[in-house]
Amino acid sequence: MANWVTGRVVEAKYWTETLFSLVVDAPIQPFIAGQFAKLALEVNGERVARAYSYVNAPSDNRLEFYFVIVPNGKLSPKLAELQVGDTLQITDEASGFFVLDEIPECKHLWMLSTGTAIGPFLSILQENKGLERFEKIVLLHAVRYQKDLSYLPLMQQLEQQFQGKLRIVTVVSREHAPGSLYGRVPALIEDHQLEKFVGLPIDAENCHIMLCGNPEMVRDTRDKLKETHGLVKHLRRKPGHITSEQYW
């Protein structure tokens, strides 16, 4: 059974009318980059909880979470109203297997995300532990509009920090944006635009793909990777090339 502790909001960042982040101080147990916690508020006398991935590195005690306001949602609109000093409930123990220890040996690691699902990848990259075994890392963030690239400055900072090992790719689907690919991730994989843009092939011999996003994106991208590149889902009992987590 989950052990709930009280967290206090120390910073609130409002990126757009629908996207925001909260930085929280709470007495949690150590977690692994890529994992998630449950956050909760009491709404009409009932605890309403949802799972959210940590954006911050485990070594950073400023716990950061990235949210999209779900219209008519039970929790996200309430979280968006929180101000510095307000409290919420958080599980003190993290969960999830979307972590580097689950990734098999490979030369090139591709991190593909949509929307707020960029969070676990930012946690992994900021922690920067266990990444030395990869020759190249590609971090892709796909959004609807350019303004939704909330963490682009951090992504660019990380790209510089990794000194050529990390390649940042942004994809915008509803408008043409300078420096970004246009369209949906599955289509960019099907016509090999993504590979051409990065200058790195997606192949079964050298690559592993970490997919994190809404269920439709995860399903469609996984299907295209199988159809066009021969990549298959990774399982502990049957090693493959694709590790995924649904996040919405």
Side-chain angles (χ1 to χ4, degrees), residues 216-230:
E216 181 182 358
M217 173 269 192
V218 170
R219 182 194 65 236
D220 292 351
T221 303
R222 197 165 51 205
D223 288 348
K224 289 302 176 188
L225 286 168
K226 183 176 182 179
E227 286 175 24
T228 60
H229 295 76

Side-chain angles (χ1 to χ4, degrees), residues 35-59:
Q35 289 190 308
F36 61 86
K38 284 188 176 181
L39 304 183
L41 290 172
E42 190 171 296
V43 181
N44 298 323
E46 172 192 3
R47 176 187 281 154
V48 178
R50 298 288 185 272
Y52 297 100
S53 292
Y54 287 100
V55 175
N56 61 290
S59 55

Side-chain angles (χ1 to χ4, degrees), residues 13 21-24 53-56 62-66 151:
K13 308 173 187 179
S21 299
L22 296 176
V23 180
V24 178
S53 292
Y54 287 100
V55 175
N56 61 290
R62 286 169 53 89
L63 312 178
E64 186 162 355
F65 301 92
Y66 186 34
Y151 285 93

Side-chain angles (χ1 to χ4, degrees), residues 16 18-19 66 115 141 143-151:
T16 69
T18 58
L19 293 169
Y66 186 34
H141 190 199
V143 296
R144 293 181 178 181
Y145 300 100
Q146 185 177 19
K147 66 179 181 179
D148 300 332
L149 294 168
S150 311
Y151 285 93

